[in-house]
Amino acid sequence: MATLRALGFGGVPVALAVLIESMLMAIPGAVVGAIAAWALFNGYHISPEGIAFDLTVTPRLVVIGIAWALLMGLLGGLMPAWRSARVPVADALRATEARLFQCGSGYRRNR
């Protein structure tokens, strides 16, 4: 995100990019979860303590699950988006450079 800030993007577009990215990363997990729920629990019959339940994974339930996953992606991206929108450009670039040249990562700065 430091590169976007260096190219002249403001804080709001950078924050929106982070939020959209976090929601896009939540989609595959939501889809895998929906498929797993359908495969494992659709048509399953349980009866604990004399109470019977027929589990059915409906399309409406899948949509609700995906919506919750997107909401979790949005909430998970709020702090990184807030931080990336508020950090000054020079500090963001400096932090990216410092992370790239850490001694433990195999890269070293030539001075």
Side-chain angles (χ1 to χ4, degrees):
M1 295 303 139
T3 306
L4 291 177
R5 295 294 306 269
L7 289 174
F9 284 89
V12 173
V14 170
L16 285 175
V18 172
L19 289 174
I20 290 170
E21 181 180 347
S22 68
M23 291 175 66
L24 286 175
M25 288 173 34
I27 290 174
V31 170
V32 168
I35 291 170
W38 181 81
L40 296 174
F41 300 113
N42 194 30
Y44 194 69
H45 178 80
I46 60 172
S47 57
E49 302 293 326
I51 303 171
F53 293 104
D54 287 323
L55 303 179
T56 305
V57 180
T58 62
R60 180 176 179 267
L61 188 60
V62 169
V63 169
I64 290 171
I66 290 174
W68 272 106
L70 290 175
L71 179 64
M72 294 299 111
L74 178 72
L75 292 176
L78 282 177
M79 277 308 279
W82 178 260
R83 259 186 37 212
S84 66
R86 298 199 65 208
V87 68
V89 176
D91 291 342
L93 289 173
R94 195 173 304 116
T96 303
E97 178 184 337
R99 258 187 262 128
L100 179 63
F101 293 107
Q102 288 177 350
C103 293
S105 66
Y107 297 103
R108 290 190 175 262
R109 184 185 304 203
N110 293 329
R111 286 192 182 211

